[in-house]
Amino acid sequence: DQDNQEAAEFFERGVYHFKKNELDIAHRFFTEAIGKQPNLADAYNNIGLIDEIRGKDEKALEAFEKAINIDPEFQQAIFNRGRVLSHLGQNQAALDSFENVSEIYKDSAEFYVARDCVYMNVNNTVAALIVFTSAISLKHENSQAFTNLGYSYIEERNYPFAQESLIRAIEINPEGAAAHNNLAFLYGIIDKVSKSLYHAETAVRLE
């Protein structure tokens, strides 16, 4: 009917502006799409992504939950919910969400990085090391995975491996503030003061 047609048009416009990083416009079109078709799970999922990008994790969680309530098998929304739950410190709930989609995301480096952030939240560095290694095996150019792997090695006091991982992260993405910050911390531990200061200053500049 007409409402469904208009909802589809609003949704397509929302996707167009979302891809152009015009988040306010995209959010408005997704909201209008829902106004025409309240059971449009994809629109709620995209609104959740926009809210997450804006740092509004609680609102993002609410949107992802609405998407899942409409479509309990919506794998992407379940994964997104897990990531936001991790941001909010709800670690067990995050792990439960990730477990529900582990099979479909088993070849996704992004999935392993997101799940490993939960292990880091609860200081399970052994599990973190295993998962980050899996992420890197799937995507060799994953700067975030190398950054987090380096931090996990620091926690395990394996400083040579930590240094190697963090340097690799910076080679992939020289603008990665977290990698520079972690490397500054590492160099401080092993008494390489000048290098520690350099990377600390770089991290501040990039942040």
Side-chain angles (χ1 to χ4, degrees), residues 161-200:
F161 277 28
Q163 180 177 339
E164 180 181 341
S165 298
L166 293 168
I167 289 174
R168 182 69 186 121
I170 292 169
E171 287 175 349
I172 296 169
N173 178 21
E175 304 298 305
H180 284 285
N181 188 59
N182 289 346
L183 194 53
F185 178 59
L186 171 63
Y187 282 139
I189 293 173
I190 60 178
D191 292 327
K192 294 187 176 182
V193 179
S194 61
K195 288 187 175 183
S196 178
L197 288 172
Y198 168 76
H199 287 285

Side-chain angles (χ1 to χ4, degrees), residues 7-8 10 12 18 53 56-57 87 90 104 114 117 123 151 184:
F10 285 136
E12 288 176 6
F18 192 14
I53 291 168
K56 299 178 179 179
D57 287 329
H87 297 165
Q90 299 181 38
I104 195 170
C117 288
N123 295 319
Y151 182 80

Side-chain angles (χ1 to χ4, degrees), residues 72-90:
E73 301 300 318
F74 195 167
Q75 303 289 316
Q76 185 184 18
I78 295 170
F79 171 62
N80 292 338
R81 178 182 63 183
R83 189 177 58 243
V84 169
L85 285 167
S86 173
H87 297 165
L88 293 169
Q90 299 181 38

Side-chain angles (χ1 to χ4, degrees), residues 2 18-19 43 50 63 70 82 128 130 133 135 157 162 182 195 202:
Q2 185 174 351
F18 192 14
K19 289 180 177 178
I50 292 171
I70 294 168
I130 293 169
T133 302
R157 299 185 182 183
N182 289 346
K195 288 187 175 183
T202 302

